[in-house]
């Protein structure tokens, strides 16, 4: 990737970039948990996410066996329509990550072998192989989520039972933020659990994301629903909630992946609603013929002006398509949820759960790109204002073209 694209990725938030070096520098050498990796160079790397449209994931190398992946949601029923690659970026200068470096796509054991040979410059020692094998656990974790968003990263670490082995600085989620995000998600899950179990309290939706039961519910009933909520949130097994799983017609082996995807969809619904106002403001700028054009465009030749107009048209179409796609998925989810909870019609929601993993991947793609683009656009607006000269405009415009996969040579 070119340096402009790299700078855009690194400066636009955690959804697609995890700067391990910046985080690790703040963790002392004697910290009881320590840095994420055993291998020093990995602690100085940057983890990136790259999205590719309509490419199925197949034959991906992994250090975990099939039973492990099945238990913790490592495979979808059908090939997803978005392929998400995890890329490891090694800067040439660790103190200047913008100055260029090498990028390697993570591919499981082959990545381990490549790194071992590179470090050892020959046959790697058993000690080096042991360190890298430990590091693969966390690389696999990062690879298993389609977004590096701190909330999803922390949820996956909880699901895999390794959260106590990762320093809180890598999650970058305060207790207040964690509570703010999880309460509305738990609220939606709790309401649906009550409906699926035939609850008759008449509560359609818990207000303001608070998990409160009706006054006439017994403690046993509250504990029973709390068990379901806990199991769905952890997304590990079905012990104790078999009736609920049976009611939703989910195969036992699929439960962890389906429940995690459902929680992720709820999360992206929360994030999408949070950023709607900022998205609309950015869309207004992109859709404005005067603002989304250099103020000193008179310096450009007519062929350059024509080319810029064509590329702007492509960007507008891509931005609109991304927004519409994310909105469509979330609208279908909300409609199916309401049909079940409010009208007692579960079929649409059951259909949604069958494809929850693909919906989760698509939302990760669209919402992560939108989040990244908004942060990138806001940075430029804060620095230069809404009216940009050619050099400032090109940096922002080309970055948005890259993020939305618009052909810059069109």
């Amino acid at each position: 990737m070119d340096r402009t694209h790299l700078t855009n990725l690194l400066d636009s938030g955690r959804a697609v970039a995890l700067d391990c070096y910046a985080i690790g520098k703040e963790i002392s050498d004697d910290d009881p948990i320590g840095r994420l990796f055993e291998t020093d160079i990995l602690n100085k790397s940057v983890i990136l996410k790259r999205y590719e449209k309509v490419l199925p994931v197949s034959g991906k190398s992994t250090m975990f066996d099939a039973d492990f992946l099945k238990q913790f949601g490592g495979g979808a029923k059908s090939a997803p329509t978005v392929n998400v690659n995890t890329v490891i970026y090694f800067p040439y200068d660790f103190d200047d990550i913008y100055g260029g470096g090498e990028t390697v796509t993570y591919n499981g054991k082959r990545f381990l072998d490549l790194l071992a040979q590179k470090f050892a410059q020959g046959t790697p020692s058993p000690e080096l192989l042991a360190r890298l094998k430990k590091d693969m656990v966390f690389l696999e974790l990062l690879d298993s989520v389609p977004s590096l968003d701190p909330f999803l990263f922390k949820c996956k670490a909880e699901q895999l039972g390794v959260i106590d082995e990762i320093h809180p600085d890598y999650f970058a989620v305060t207790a207040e933020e964690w509570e703010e995000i999880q309460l509305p998600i738990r609220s939606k899950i709790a309401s649906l659990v009550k409906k699926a179990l035939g609850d008759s309290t008449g509560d359609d939706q818990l207000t303001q994301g608070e998990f409160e039961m009706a006054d006439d519910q017994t403690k046993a009933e509250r504990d029973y629903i709390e068990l379901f909520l806990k199991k769905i949130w952890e997304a590990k097994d079905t012990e104790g909630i078999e009736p609920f799983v049976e009611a939703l017609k989910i195969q036992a082996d699929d439960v962890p992946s389906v429940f995690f995807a459902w929680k992720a969809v709820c999360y992206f619904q929360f994030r999408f609603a949070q950023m709607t106002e900022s998205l609309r403001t950015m869309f207004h700028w992109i859709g404005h013929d005067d603002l989304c054009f250099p103020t000193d465009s008179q310096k450009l030749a007519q062929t350059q002006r024509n080319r810029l107009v064509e590329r702007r048209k492509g960007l507008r179409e891509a931005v609109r398509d991304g927004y519409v796609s994310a909105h469509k998925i979330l609208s279908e989810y909300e409609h199916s949820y309401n049909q079940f909870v409010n009208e007692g019609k579960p079929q649409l929601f059951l259909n949604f759960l069958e494809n929850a993993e693909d919906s989760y991947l698509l939302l990760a793609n669209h919402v992560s790109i939108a989040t990244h683009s908004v942060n990138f656009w806001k940075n430029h607006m804060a620095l230069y204002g809404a009216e940009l000269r050619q050099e400032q405009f090109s940096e922002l415009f080309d970055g948005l073209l890259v993020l939305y996969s618009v052909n810059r040579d069109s």
Side-chain angles (χ1 to χ4, degrees):
M1 67 183 72
D2 61 44
R3 291 193 181 186
T4 300
H5 185 199
L6 177 64
T7 301
N8 298 344
L9 286 173
L10 297 175
D11 285 351
S12 300
R14 270 286 305 273
V16 292
L18 174 65
D19 187 346
C20 296
Y21 186 42
I23 297 171
K25 281 196 301 184
E26 303 301 317
I27 300 174
S28 63
D29 292 337
D30 59 355
D31 187 274
I33 299 177
R35 299 177 181 90
L36 187 61
F37 299 110
E38 296 281 331
T39 310
D40 183 58
I41 195 170
L42 284 174
N43 283 320
K44 294 177 178 176
S45 70
V46 180
I47 313 296
L48 304 168
K49 288 292 179 178
R50 182 172 62 205
Y51 302 95
E52 297 173 353
K53 297 178 181 177
V54 201
L55 288 176
V57 178
S58 61
K60 194 170 190 179
S61 175
T62 174
M63 71 175 292
F64 297 131
D65 61 28
D67 288 337
F68 181 95
L69 289 175
K70 187 177 290 186
Q71 181 184 2
F72 289 115
K77 299 182 190 69
S78 58
T81 54
V82 174
N83 188 31
V84 186
N85 288 317
T86 303
V87 177
I88 318 296
Y89 167 63
F90 299 100
Y92 294 133
D93 182 349
F94 298 124
D95 290 312
D96 179 20
I97 59 175
Y98 304 100
E102 296 182 29
T103 56
V104 183
T105 299
Y106 177 75
N107 54 11
K109 190 174 183 306
R110 282 178 290 173
F111 178 84
L112 171 67
D113 294 339
L114 175 67
L115 232 56
Q117 292 171 13
K118 187 166 182 129
F119 293 163
Q121 296 184 344
T123 304
S125 67
E127 291 78 15
L128 174 59
L129 290 175
R131 288 202 308 273
L132 287 172
K133 188 173 182 180
K134 289 182 180 178
D135 290 340
M136 288 285 286
V137 172
F138 299 108
L139 287 170
E140 283 285 319
L141 189 160
L142 290 164
D143 190 50
S144 69
V145 288
S147 167
L148 295 171
D149 186 284
F151 179 80
L152 289 181
F153 181 26
K154 184 173 181 178
C155 285
K156 180 58 72 171
E158 281 187 334
Q159 186 191 37
L160 299 181
V162 295
I163 191 164
D164 293 335
E165 300 174 39
I166 301 176
H167 197 283
D169 286 2
Y170 288 97
F171 299 124
V173 180
T174 66
E176 292 76 15
E177 290 171 325
W178 179 258
E179 194 73 7
E180 179 189 7
I181 295 169
Q182 73 166 329
L183 279 177
I185 299 174
R186 287 166 63 91
S187 164
K188 291 184 78 77
I189 294 173
S191 293
L192 192 138
V193 167
K194 291 167 67 180
K195 190 69 176 182
L197 294 176
D199 181 75
S200 59
T201 62
D203 293 336
D204 290 330
Q205 182 73 29
L206 301 178
T207 60
Q208 301 177 353
E210 296 176 351
F211 184 54
E212 297 176 353
M213 298 301 128
D215 291 339
D216 60 348
Q217 280 188 302
T218 65
K219 182 178 183 303
E221 288 174 324
R222 293 197 300 271
D223 291 345
Y224 192 49
I225 291 178
E226 182 63 32
L227 169 65
F228 280 74
L229 186 56
K230 180 175 182 289
K231 286 291 185 178
I232 294 168
W233 185 265
E234 293 175 345
K236 290 183 179 181
D237 58 67
T238 64
E239 185 178 353
I241 62 168
E242 292 85 354
F244 179 71
V245 172
E246 185 177 343
L248 293 181
K249 300 180 181 178
I250 306 173
Q251 295 294 320
D253 289 345
D254 295 332
V255 165
S257 57
V258 170
F259 280 175
F260 188 87
W262 178 16
K263 181 169 64 174
V265 169
C266 292
Y267 167 71
F268 283 122
Q269 184 181 42
F270 171 83
R271 284 289 296 122
F272 198 65
Q274 259 193 337
M275 66 189 299
T276 296
E277 185 175 345
S278 295
L279 268 177
R280 286 174 177 166
T281 306
M282 184 184 76
F283 291 168
H284 173 76
W285 184 89
I286 293 173
H288 196 292
D289 287 348
D290 293 332
L291 292 177
C292 193
F293 215 76
T295 57
D296 53 350
S297 59
Q298 68 274 6
K299 298 178 182 179
L300 300 176
Q302 188 60 44
T303 54
Q304 292 176 300
R305 291 168 63 88
N306 293 341
R307 181 168 172 266
L308 198 156
V309 169
E310 285 300 310
R311 293 163 73 198
R312 185 178 65 186
K313 179 182 176 183
L315 176 62
R316 288 172 177 175
E317 291 174 352
V319 167
R320 183 183 64 245
D321 290 347
Y323 179 86
V324 169
S325 297
H327 188 269
K328 182 174 183 291
I329 294 169
L330 292 173
S331 295
E332 289 175 351
Y333 164 65
E334 189 67 14
H335 177 64
S336 70
Y337 175 89
N338 288 333
Q339 283 268 300
F340 192 0
V341 172
N342 298 333
E343 301 182 30
K345 300 176 181 177
Q347 191 55 52
L348 285 179
F349 187 77
L350 299 181
N351 293 342
F352 177 85
L353 286 183
E354 286 183 5
N355 299 295
E357 290 170 279
D358 196 27
S359 297
Y360 161 39
L361 287 175
L362 286 167
L363 285 172
N365 175 28
H366 295 309
V367 178
S368 294
I369 289 173
T371 302
H372 189 61
S373 299
V374 165
N375 290 338
F376 180 48
W377 178 81
K378 280 183 174 179
N379 288 343
H380 276 73
M381 295 300 103
L383 285 172
Y384 308 116
E387 298 181 352
L388 306 176
R389 289 151 57 95
Q390 185 181 350
E391 182 178 351
Q392 302 159 351
F393 175 82
S394 294
E395 182 180 333
L396 171 59
F397 188 66
D398 288 347
L400 292 173
L401 292 175
V402 170
L403 289 169
Y404 279 98
S405 301
V406 178
N407 185 0
R408 287 180 291 173
D409 297 324
S410 61

